[in-house]
Amino acid sequence: MKRKNSGRGRSSSKSRSKASRRVVQEFEGRVQMTREGYIFVIVEGMEGDVYVKASKTRNALDGDIVRVAVTKGVLRKAGEPQSEETPAQARKARGTRSCEGEVIEIVRRSGRPFIGYMHWVGEQAWVLMQSKSMPYDIEVNLEEAVAMGARKGMKVAVVVDSWERRKICPQGHIVDVLGMPGDNDTEMHAILAEFGLPYRFEPEVENAADSISDEIGPEQMKGRRDFRNTLTFTIDPADAKDFDDAISFRALENGNYEVGVHIADVSWYVHPGDPVDKEARERGTSVYLVDRTVPMLPEKLCNKLCSLRPHEDKLCFSAVFEMTPKAEVVSRWLGRTAINSDYRFNYDEAQAIILEGRSKDSQSGGDSADAPVRQAISILYNLAEKLKARRFRRGAINFDRPEMKVEVDQLGKPIRVYEKVSFEANWLIEEFMLLANRTVAEFVATCGKFNAVASKKAKPFVYRIHDEPNTEKLGSLREFAGSFGYTMGDNLQGRGAAKTLNALLAQAKGKPEYAAFEDIALRSMAKACYSADNIGHYGLAFDFYTHFTSPIRRYPDLMVHRLLARYLEGGEPAQKSVLDVECQHASEREVVAADAERTSVKYKLVEYMQDKLGMVFEGFVSGVTEWGMYVEIEPTHIEGMIPLRTIRSDFFEFDEKAYRLVGKRSRRVFRLGDKLRIRVKQADLESRLLDFELVEE
């Protein structure tokens, strides 16, 4: 069953050979499909993409890896102008130039499931698609579908196996029966299935985890520093179950402080190649949907064995610092330890202690038994404050976007959307985690010589890197900010760009245009990722950085623990080529998890707005395109789109350079940050989209 017949894959060998004579470039890339059947091929590292008509896709589908021949236009590397162009001409052309081509080979089917509705007529069965990236229904075997428990109308996950030349639609097989549409578990499982994410562990993995010993005796303590009698505590969200980091504190006789950052020693329990490790590597990270966590590790490990619960002996990998009262690090030590946490605080409890510590009578307040830990938290907060200030003086970028959370009831129904506020207790922990991550990376990169340059003899390692921002996009931000009367500095390269950005955001703080400036600045930023080649972390202003502090929920941290243990013991260097592959895999899994998390939030936000159709809200313009403008409503920051065709007072044209829409007749302008009023027109759960209409005076 197929709703759109494009005649795909019918080109003759004669026409293909004729096309090949016109080919100027060939690339391998990933398919991004549209509801209408045409595709865009995204080529990594290239500016723009390749448009392919529906008749020239050779039956490629969304997510497939294909080879594409460019038959019109030129695809070039990102940031590389053509030789006959000036940089200014290149910027102007980039928004309008498009490349066209045709698929010449399907290198690999994506293997990622499509989500649709089970349907059959007689002995023929299909999974009906209602997806913006899949316009073709998928034929399946009815007998197999029924055997799996599928019934008409149920949501199922289906993988495409083939698309034979004479078939009008692709053929596939059902990999999971998700349930009836609208049910919360069905919809959340559908999101996980859509992104190829599991929502359960296989029995083999669970059994392997259950068989791991929790004994901590003389054998387990060999080579470990014992911190079990040192004041230690955790600070986490109130609903957290896995505590993978703890802080220890001890005042030294010389007036300095010993601060330990203790991380669950997952690498002691999970070994390379065992069933738990293979599953953790494949998952790459824990996934946090609105109403549930899909953990990277089975429950026995993440919530029990490796969770640093209070009053229990736990094995850790630690970074221990001697620090002056001015937060200067005098010495560092890295290695395996054992701890026994004395307290478990949530952020609100720790925040209350910090606020008490600011008052003059703080030393007399509270239970005397709690006085040492209260004093420790106050001192640690003061140290963290100095670390943070030093980091921003070095050029860290200060983004302050509101983080919105969706609260759901026991049935998964959204009941509240609110802003998650980050207090001092949050960044107390954050600063010490950053310090530990930076220290581990610096230790390996400099061969143990802290505060030194990278050594040519450094052993291969896993770094968390973040490249410099796009200078051209920052130039566009400067022009845009100028239209509001702001003057941005000329230094848009290297560390100077961070200072320029921070200065602009500080000027605009609290004003309507702030969100627009921040949004454009974020778009200019590179994406952080994992790499065996260190280039530093631009956003944090660190020359060396890695992820060491969350091995319960991130596989790269587990890799870092293993490498660090190996190098501390004088082991042989890891193979860089192997780390390159692992870093790429971990980066890809991180992106998939983030996309799934955002999708679950979108779904719940649309669900939250379903009973608000026709209601009017205040909002501001958060994005503009040639087909509409996006608006975030206050105070929830829920985003929807006003299609331009629905604004009847004028015809609006898109001015891409100035990030604005201009009325052809009235010259009325809509630009990022503008305040306006909207009415909720439609809340489409299936597409997870909100449509607004402009309320015109």
Side-chain angles (χ1 to χ4, degrees):
M1 181 175 290
K2 175 174 160 234
R3 300 192 193 92
K4 298 177 179 65
N5 187 355
S6 62
R8 296 151 59 86
R10 300 289 195 265
S11 58
S12 66
S13 59
K14 182 177 179 180
S15 65
R16 287 197 299 273
S17 63
K18 184 178 179 181
S20 66
R21 291 197 295 270
R22 300 196 303 270
V23 169
V24 293
Q25 295 172 293
E26 286 187 9
F27 297 98
E28 189 171 296
R30 186 179 300 275
V31 171
Q32 187 177 81
M33 197 165 204
T34 67
R35 193 188 302 272
E36 290 74 24
Y38 60 84
I39 67 173
F40 296 95
V41 179
I42 313 300
V43 181
E44 185 176 354
M46 306 302 288
E47 187 77 48
D49 43 46
V50 184
Y51 164 76
V52 180
K53 296 178 181 178
S55 60
K56 295 183 181 295
T57 63
R58 296 181 71 87
N59 293 347
L61 298 171
D62 191 67
D64 291 350
I65 303 299
V66 300
R67 283 201 64 79
V68 62
V70 177
T71 56
K72 179 181 178 182
V74 178
L75 196 63
R76 52 190 181 159
K77 291 183 179 179
E80 176 187 24
Q82 291 183 353
S83 58
E84 70 273 13
E85 290 180 325
T86 66
Q89 289 171 329
R91 284 198 303 272
K92 182 177 180 181
R94 189 163 295 131
T96 56
R97 180 188 292 117
S98 61
C99 290
E100 292 188 20
E102 61 179 272
V103 173
I104 55 178
E105 179 188 2
I106 298 175
V107 177
R108 184 173 69 252
R109 290 286 184 190
S110 75
R112 186 164 152 177
F114 294 100
I115 308 302
Y117 300 90
M118 193 67 215
H119 180 71
W120 63 78
V121 176
E123 297 300 316
Q124 289 186 293
W126 302 268
V127 178
L128 306 183
M129 293 290 126
Q130 291 189 0
S131 168
K132 61 183 178 181
S133 62
M134 180 55 171
Y136 305 99
D137 301 326
I138 302 170
E139 186 178 354
V140 295
N141 182 288
L142 176 59
E143 186 176 341
E144 291 178 359
V146 172
M148 292 183 67
R151 301 197 304 270
K152 278 188 179 182
M154 275 188 168
K155 272 195 171 183
V156 297
V158 58
V159 170
V160 171
D161 299 318
S162 63
W163 192 346
E164 297 175 10
R165 182 179 178 85
R166 291 180 174 80
K167 293 281 189 176
I168 63 172
C169 64
Q171 299 80 52
H173 68 280
I174 294 173
V175 293
D176 208 347
V177 178
L178 303 170
M180 296 306 295
D183 177 77
N184 183 65
D185 281 345
T186 296
E187 300 301 339
M188 293 300 104
H189 288 167
I191 290 171
L192 292 170
E194 180 182 338
F195 289 95
L197 296 167
Y199 45 87
R200 63 173 75 92
F201 287 99
E202 295 298 326
E204 177 193 12
V205 178
E206 292 277 14
N207 293 337
D210 290 341
S211 67
I212 297 175
S213 171
D214 59 359
E215 181 182 359
I216 299 180
E219 184 65 27
Q220 288 73 28
M221 288 298 297
K222 283 183 180 178
R224 293 183 183 271
R225 281 182 63 176
D226 195 339
F227 281 82
R228 287 178 290 184
N229 293 320
T230 302
L231 175 64
T232 305
F233 53 88
T234 61
I235 303 177
D236 292 279
D239 58 352
K241 295 179 180 178
D242 56 336
F243 313 132
D244 53 8
D245 57 78
I247 301 286
S248 69
F249 177 85
R250 186 165 65 96
L252 303 177
E253 292 182 359
N254 62 4
N256 292 340
Y257 308 113
E258 180 191 81
V259 180
V261 178
H262 305 285
I263 310 301
D265 193 358
V266 178
S267 63
W268 182 262
Y269 299 104
V270 179
H271 305 127
D274 69 21
V276 175
D277 179 65
K278 289 179 180 178
E279 181 68 16
R281 179 197 177 273
E282 182 59 31
R283 295 184 178 216
T285 178
S286 296
V287 182
Y288 299 90
L289 302 188
V290 168
D291 69 331
R292 68 194 66 199
T293 297
V294 183
M296 184 182 79
L297 298 172
E299 184 179 6
K300 180 177 179 179
L301 284 162
C302 65
N303 291 349
K304 297 176 183 177
L305 201 59
C306 295
S307 183
L308 308 183
R309 302 188 296 189
H311 313 303
E312 296 180 10
D313 288 354
K314 296 293 181 180
L315 302 181
C316 291
F317 218 132
S318 305
V320 183
F321 306 91
E322 181 182 345
M323 304 180 73
T324 70
K326 293 183 178 181
E328 295 166 342
V329 177
V330 176
S331 65
R332 307 161 174 84
W333 178 88
L334 301 172
R336 284 190 151 118
T337 61
I339 69 166
N340 188 303
S341 176
D342 299 285
Y343 300 90
R344 178 268 197 266
F345 295 105
N346 62 45
Y347 283 120
D348 289 340
E349 292 167 341
Q351 181 67 19
I353 293 173
I354 291 172
L355 294 178
E356 286 177 10
R358 288 176 173 174
S359 63
K360 293 181 180 179
D361 61 346
S362 61
Q363 298 304 315
S364 61
D367 191 331
S368 60
D370 295 333
V373 72
R374 289 173 178 271
Q375 184 180 28
I377 289 176
S378 294
I379 293 172
L380 288 167
Y381 163 68
N382 290 328
L383 295 174
E385 198 173 30
K386 293 177 175 62
L387 289 172
K388 184 178 182 182
R390 191 176 301 150
R391 185 162 56 86
F392 281 111
R393 283 197 300 271
R394 293 186 69 243
I397 301 177
N398 187 20
F399 289 123
D400 190 24
R401 292 178 69 85
E403 181 182 355
M404 306 308 296
K405 304 290 287 185
V406 183
E407 181 182 343
V408 298
D409 63 18
Q410 292 182 338
L411 298 177
K413 183 177 178 59
I415 56 177
R416 183 169 73 105
V417 178
Y418 64 97
E419 181 177 350
K420 180 183 177 183
V421 180
S422 181
F423 294 108
E424 288 91 338
N426 297 76
W427 53 259
L428 181 160
I429 294 299
E430 180 183 357
E431 287 302 323
F432 283 106
M433 297 305 115
L434 292 175
L435 178 62
N437 287 335
R438 175 166 62 93
T439 299
V440 169
E442 185 179 4
F443 173 81
V444 176
T446 64
C447 295
K449 298 177 182 179
F450 292 107
N451 296 318
V453 296
S455 171
K456 293 181 180 179
K457 297 181 180 180
K459 296 177 180 178
F461 197 56
V462 173
Y463 296 96
R464 179 70 170 177
I465 64 170
H466 184 223
D467 208 348
E468 295 183 1
N470 184 298
T471 305
E472 292 182 3
K473 291 180 180 179
L474 288 180
S476 298
L477 172 59
R478 181 167 56 189
E479 293 179 22
F480 179 62
S483 68
F484 286 86
Y486 292 85
T487 301
M488 268 181 76
D490 294 330
N491 194 345
L492 300 181
Q493 294 184 332
R495 192 52 54 199
K499 294 180 180 178
T500 302
L501 267 180
N502 283 337
L504 173 67
L505 295 174
Q507 290 180 64
K509 187 70 174 177
K511 298 177 182 177
E513 56 269 20
Y514 177 85
F517 292 169
E518 190 176 52
D519 185 61
I520 298 171
L522 279 168
R523 284 188 239 160
S524 75
M525 292 288 136
K527 299 290 185 184
C529 63
Y530 299 103
S531 175
D533 296 305
N534 179 48
I535 61 170
H537 196 294
Y538 183 83
L540 294 172
F542 290 155
D543 293 329
F544 312 101
Y545 193 64
T546 190
H547 273 170
F548 166 77
T549 54
S550 295
I552 288 178
R553 62 184 181 88
R554 291 188 306 227
Y555 193 78
D557 301 56
L558 178 55
M559 294 166 58
V560 164
H561 280 219
R562 288 170 176 164
L563 289 169
L564 182 59
R566 178 174 176 171
Y567 295 159
L568 286 171
E569 294 168 1
E572 290 297 312
Q575 292 185 25
K576 183 176 179 297
S577 58
V578 174
L579 295 185
D580 286 334
V581 172
E582 294 301 313
C583 286
Q584 182 177 351
H585 174 76
S587 297
E588 290 171 355
R589 299 312 297 166
E590 178 185 40
V591 170
V592 169
D595 287 345
E597 290 164 10
R598 281 192 293 268
T599 299
S600 79
V601 171
K602 284 182 181 178
Y603 183 89
K604 289 301 176 184
L605 291 178
V606 174
E607 186 179 1
Y608 177 76
M609 295 297 290
Q610 279 197 311
D611 61 356
K612 296 168 181 62
L613 298 181
M615 294 177 63
V616 174
F617 294 90
E618 303 284 339
F620 63 89
V621 178
S622 57
V624 289
T625 69
E626 58 188 336
W627 58 83
M629 60 178 165
Y630 292 91
V631 176
E632 285 189 17
I633 61 176
E634 301 285 9
T636 59
H637 291 274
I638 295 174
E639 187 178 67
M641 192 185 76
I642 302 175
L644 293 187
R645 67 178 184 275
T646 65
I647 305 177
R648 299 183 179 181
S649 60
D650 203 348
F651 177 81
F652 285 85
E653 296 178 324
F654 177 41
D655 181 353
E656 183 180 19
K657 185 176 180 181
Y659 299 99
R660 65 179 188 172
L661 298 167
V662 181
K664 195 170 184 180
R665 176 182 54 79
S666 65
R667 310 309 298 170
R668 183 182 181 184
V669 174
F670 291 111
R671 60 183 178 181
L672 296 180
D674 280 357
K675 299 268 186 187
L676 40 72
R677 300 173 73 217
I678 62 92
R679 181 178 292 107
V680 182
K681 187 70 174 177
Q682 185 178 12
D684 187 342
L685 266 179
E686 189 60 42
S687 62
R688 307 167 193 134
L689 294 175
L690 284 171
D691 281 343
F692 297 158
E693 63 179 359
L694 181 65
V695 177
E696 300 190 71
E697 301 301 332

